[in-house]
């Protein structure tokens, strides 16, 4: 687990200056468009910090999910991806098959933690950050859609980069994102000001 976190932190450090430069350009463009000074209120400053943390974490997560692909599984076309699925080359489409195997044959608790708990925990910020930052994702249907959308996109892209593709990863990632959404709802009830960061 610590190895994954270390890799992710190094990726976030690469993305950080790019993100900062991009946000400065966006804020400057807003300044000129509004023809007035951009007042940095406490709420605006807090939102910028949370947005930065959200974007950087998700960028690190996405970069992490696409590294260490196997060359022999890489494909360069939709036809190649379809062949991988048809022949089950590093592909599992049976729900809970991999999870059951993890529970049964995990060589260590740490290995189990990385592969099951890690797949859930890593997506909690996605489900938490969306409704925290954007009001439209406080809709239950939209949150469900986005909680499925990102894991499905990741698994689809992994067909091409030589990573294993597993419906159980989608299930675990979806569970993590929905847990994040539930956590946001609980925090919003306990601390109503949390919801004010959204646009």
């Amino acid at each position: 687990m610590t190895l994954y976190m270390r890799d992710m932190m190094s990726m976030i450090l690469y993305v950080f200056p790019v993100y900062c430069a991009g946000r400065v350009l966006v804020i400057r463009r807003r300044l000129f468009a509004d023809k007035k000074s951009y007042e940095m209120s406490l709420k605006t400053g807090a939102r910028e910090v949370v947005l930065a943390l959200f974007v950087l974490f998700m960028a690190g997560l996405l970069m992490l999910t696409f590294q260490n692909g196997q060359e022999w599984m890489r494909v360069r076309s939709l036809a190649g991806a379809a062949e991988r699925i048809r022949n089950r080359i590093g592909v599992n489409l049976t729900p809970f098959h991999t999870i059951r195997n993890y529970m049964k044959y995990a060589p260590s608790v740490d290995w189990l933690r990385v592969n099951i708990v890690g797949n859930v925990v890593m997506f909690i910020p996605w489900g938490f950050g969306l409704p925290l930052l954007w009001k439209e994702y406080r809709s239950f249907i939209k949150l469900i859609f986005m909680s499925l959308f990102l894991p499905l996109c990741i698994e689809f892209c992994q067909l091409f980069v030589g990573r294993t593709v597993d419906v159980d990863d989608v299930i675990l990632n979806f569970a993590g994102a929905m847990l994040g959404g539930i956590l946001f709802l609980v925090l919003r009830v306990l601390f109503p000001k949390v919801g004010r960061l959204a646009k």
Side-chain angles (χ1 to χ4, degrees):
M1 184 71 87
T2 52
L3 180 64
Y4 281 99
M5 294 307 294
R6 192 181 63 205
D7 287 349
M8 191 171 171
M9 285 306 298
S10 65
M11 290 168 190
I12 287 171
L13 289 174
Y14 286 124
V15 176
F16 181 69
V18 177
Y19 172 81
C20 289
R23 282 307 288 169
V24 167
L25 289 174
V26 167
I27 290 168
R28 282 189 65 189
R29 189 177 300 163
R30 195 181 296 162
L31 250 171
F32 289 115
D34 292 348
K35 306 287 185 189
K36 62 182 180 182
S37 63
Y38 184 68
E39 291 182 9
M40 200 68 162
S41 67
L42 190 61
K43 177 184 166 184
T44 305
R47 189 177 194 282
E48 285 296 323
V49 170
V50 173
L51 181 63
L53 291 171
F54 178 74
V55 171
L56 290 170
F57 182 87
M58 294 315 300
L61 175 65
L62 290 175
M63 291 168 75
L64 190 65
T65 58
F66 296 129
Q67 72 170 6
N68 300 329
Q70 301 295 316
E71 189 60 43
W72 64 275
M73 282 200 295
R74 284 183 184 162
V75 295
R76 305 190 190 284
S77 66
L78 283 173
E83 186 182 343
R84 270 195 72 185
I85 294 169
R86 190 168 51 250
N87 296 321
R88 300 290 194 270
I89 302 169
V91 174
N92 169 49
L93 298 177
T94 307
F96 303 106
H97 174 74
T98 305
I99 293 171
R100 274 196 306 269
N101 284 343
Y102 284 160
M103 302 296 282
K104 232 178 190 180
Y105 306 113
S108 69
V109 173
D110 193 50
W111 194 88
L112 193 67
R113 222 171 27 228
V114 168
N115 289 285
I116 293 188
V117 179
N119 266 312
V120 173
V121 171
M122 295 295 267
F123 276 77
I124 289 175
W126 176 245
F128 182 82
L130 288 174
L132 176 68
L133 292 163
W134 296 281
K135 288 178 185 173
E136 65 182 294
Y137 296 115
R138 291 178 185 174
S139 155
F140 188 63
I141 300 298
K142 283 187 179 179
L143 187 60
I144 285 176
F145 174 77
M146 293 304 288
S147 296
L148 274 174
F149 176 74
L150 182 62
L152 285 170
C153 283
I154 288 172
E155 294 303 308
F156 177 74
C157 292
Q158 286 185 165
L159 281 168
F160 299 90
V161 298
R163 294 285 303 261
T164 56
V165 175
D166 200 324
V167 69
D168 284 359
D169 285 349
V170 175
I171 292 168
L172 293 168
N173 297 162
F174 173 76
M178 292 307 294
L179 276 173
I182 292 166
L183 179 61
F184 169 76
L185 287 175
V186 171
L187 278 180
R188 195 179 171 206
V189 169
L190 295 174
F191 308 102
K193 287 185 178 179
V194 167
R196 295 180 190 172
L197 293 178
K199 279 194 171 181

